[in-house]
Amino acid sequence: MDNFKLDSHKLMYHVSTLNQWLGGKDIFPIYVEMGLFGGCNHRCIFCAFDYLKYKPSMLKEACLKKFLSEAARGGVKAVLFSGEGEPLLHPKASEFVGFAKKKRIDVALSTNGVFLDQRVCQKILPDLSWLRVSLNSGSAKNYALIHGTTAKDFQTVLNNLKHAVNIKRKNKYACVLGVQLVLLQYNSKQVYKLANLLRDIGVDYLVIKPFSPHPLSINSGPIREVYNDYHNLQRKLPAYAKKDFQIIFRANSFDKLNEIKPYKKCLGFDFIAHISAKGDVFPCNAFVGRKDFALGSIYKNSFSDILESRKRKIILNKIYREWDIDKCRKSCRQDEANRYLWSLQNRVLHHNFI
């Protein structure tokens, strides 16, 4: 069961904004993903942003806080600190989580978990809506291979998850603690072992998603997709769940890998934005690092000015007119939202017969 709708979308909960969009009005994004730090301590073999070379660029505190304040005033509902590197490498990451929450923005964090120690957990868990750790194996040796790191990081992450669970339970924090595994030929035999480990630790869920290469990724070529037998995984994994530990198998995302997309254009750009660790604003993460698709910089302009700029309109119109959506990921984060938005713009016959 997917209580968090990780394999779907949530636009139906924003009816007012949808109506404005359908009426042709300009809207502020609902959701923003931010890269706090461009570098990373891991070299995951499936990394979407390997083409950016892990340069240790870092968002400056004053600029980021100014952006968050403006985003809150404009109506941004949620911010995910993730992006092209490991966000906890930013020395002010914990402070940014608390600052965003004070501005009444829902905050989430995606991390490899190595730096998620007790001190960090105590600082960020009170303010996070959810935290997700990328953990792609059930054994240290295999983990080291997939994450491009040392085997000792595996136990470090497990220990950090234990600390997070204990701190959450002791203080009755609402933060949902999850773990994500990208299914590869290298870890397909490790899923059950990982499920057992996480169930014992007490996290809230394990989600298994398909590998879907970023259009600019360098190292994705040698990675073989493991989907011929995924129905067996889907069928067997529920036995490893329990009342307070969900296993979410993103079957919908797996099934769509061989589908032709039922929409012709990407329509979700008005609802989201991606800000890189350099402060550049992009329509989504498919374009991060491409200067010709940078809408502006939060170092040079306000977020409102960027959203209302002629440059943004030109770039988005170019994407709507010329961009081949088959160049994007087969099952990207916006896919379900795009299916929904396309259906709203292109209604079926007799739609009043509900």
Side-chain angles (χ1 to χ4, degrees):
M1 182 180 293
D2 181 6
N3 290 341
F4 308 108
K5 287 191 174 291
L6 299 181
D7 210 16
S8 183
H9 72 92
K10 299 166 189 155
L11 280 175
M12 74 287 283
Y13 299 112
H14 302 276
V15 176
S16 176
T17 304
L18 278 169
N19 280 332
Q20 293 178 48
W21 177 79
L22 285 168
K25 296 181 180 179
D26 291 331
I27 61 172
F28 232 70
I30 295 171
Y31 162 79
V32 174
E33 183 171 333
M34 302 192 73
L36 294 181
F37 195 85
C40 190
N41 55 312
H42 283 183
R43 294 293 183 269
C44 298
I45 58 176
F46 57 84
C47 179
F49 295 112
D50 57 1
Y51 66 94
L52 295 174
K53 306 297 186 182
Y54 308 102
K55 296 176 181 178
S57 50
M58 181 171 62
L59 276 176
K60 295 181 180 179
E61 180 180 1
C63 182
L64 179 53
K65 288 183 174 179
K66 180 181 177 182
F67 165 80
L68 290 172
S69 298
E70 184 188 3
R73 291 193 299 269
V76 170
K77 304 295 184 186
V79 168
L80 169 63
F81 293 131
S82 177
E84 62 269 34
E86 168 51 48
L88 290 180
L89 280 170
H90 197 300
K92 295 281 188 177
S94 299
E95 184 177 328
F96 296 152
V97 169
F99 185 87
K101 187 64 176 179
K102 287 179 181 177
K103 295 298 178 179
R104 298 184 179 181
I105 297 175
D106 292 340
V107 199
L109 177 74
S110 180
T111 173
N112 59 42
V114 174
F115 305 108
L116 190 68
D117 56 28
Q118 290 188 66
R119 180 185 60 84
V120 171
C121 286
Q122 288 167 350
K123 287 183 177 180
I124 66 175
L125 291 186
D127 298 315
L128 287 175
S129 296
W130 56 264
L131 182 145
R132 189 177 303 147
V133 172
S134 177
L135 179 52
N136 296 276
S137 183
S139 68
K141 183 178 179 180
N142 189 249
Y143 172 90
L145 167 70
I146 293 170
H147 281 255
T149 186
T150 59
K152 67 179 183 179
D153 275 1
F154 179 71
Q155 191 59 51
T156 297
V157 174
L158 293 181
N159 290 339
N160 287 344
L161 284 170
K162 291 176 185 177
H163 297 321
V165 169
N166 291 336
I167 291 169
K168 172 189 171 176
R169 289 178 175 175
K170 179 180 178 180
N171 297 281
K172 298 182 179 179
Y173 293 143
C175 177
V176 174
L177 301 175
V179 170
Q180 178 173 279
L181 176 140
V182 178
L183 190 64
L184 309 167
Q185 80 265 34
Y186 304 108
N187 62 10
S188 60
K189 306 299 182 183
Q190 296 280 325
V191 179
Y192 304 113
K193 187 173 182 180
L194 179 61
N196 275 329
L197 288 170
L198 297 176
R199 180 180 59 191
D200 292 342
I201 288 172
V203 301
D204 295 305
Y205 70 82
L206 166 65
V207 58
I208 295 96
K209 64 177 286 186
F211 167 67
S212 180
H214 189 286
L216 299 177
S217 293
I218 298 171
N219 297 323
S220 60
I223 301 175
R224 181 168 55 83
E225 299 176 349
V226 186
Y227 307 124
N228 294 333
D229 199 37
Y230 77 83
H231 288 294
N232 283 332
L233 268 176
Q234 183 186 7
R235 186 177 67 254
K236 294 177 180 178
L237 278 172
Y240 292 79
K242 62 180 184 179
K243 184 178 180 180
D244 56 355
F245 173 59
Q246 292 187 51
I247 296 181
I248 303 167
F249 194 90
R250 294 187 57 179
N252 188 34
S253 294
F254 281 90
D255 290 339
K256 290 186 298 185
L257 291 175
N258 296 316
E259 285 184 7
I260 297 175
K261 292 177 179 177
Y263 50 90
K264 297 180 180 179
K265 304 290 181 183
C266 186
L267 301 174
F269 294 131
D270 289 323
F271 299 90
I272 66 169
H274 186 110
I275 299 174
S276 74
K278 292 181 177 180
D280 295 322
V281 182
F282 295 94
C284 79
N285 62 27
F287 301 102
V288 174
R290 294 191 57 173
K291 293 183 179 180
D292 50 336
F293 286 98
L295 307 178
S297 169
I298 61 173
Y299 284 117
K300 298 177 181 179
N301 300 102
S302 71
F303 194 38
S304 295
D305 286 344
I306 292 171
L307 294 175
E308 296 168 3
S309 68
R310 183 172 179 269
K311 182 178 182 180
R312 178 175 182 266
K313 288 180 172 61
I314 290 172
I315 290 175
L316 292 190
N317 284 335
K318 179 181 179 181
I319 294 173
Y320 291 141
R321 291 194 316 268
E322 302 174 11
W323 184 257
D324 181 1
I325 58 172
D326 289 330
K327 292 181 179 179
C328 292
R329 289 178 169 182
K330 294 180 181 178
S331 185
C332 77
R333 185 174 296 170
Q334 280 294 97
D335 182 74
E336 282 296 317
N338 273 321
R339 291 168 184 250
Y340 180 67
L341 293 170
W342 187 261
S343 70
L344 291 178
Q345 281 197 344
N346 300 272
R347 297 181 182 182
V348 298
L349 289 174
H350 315 141
H351 63 269
N352 289 330
F353 291 86
I354 60 174

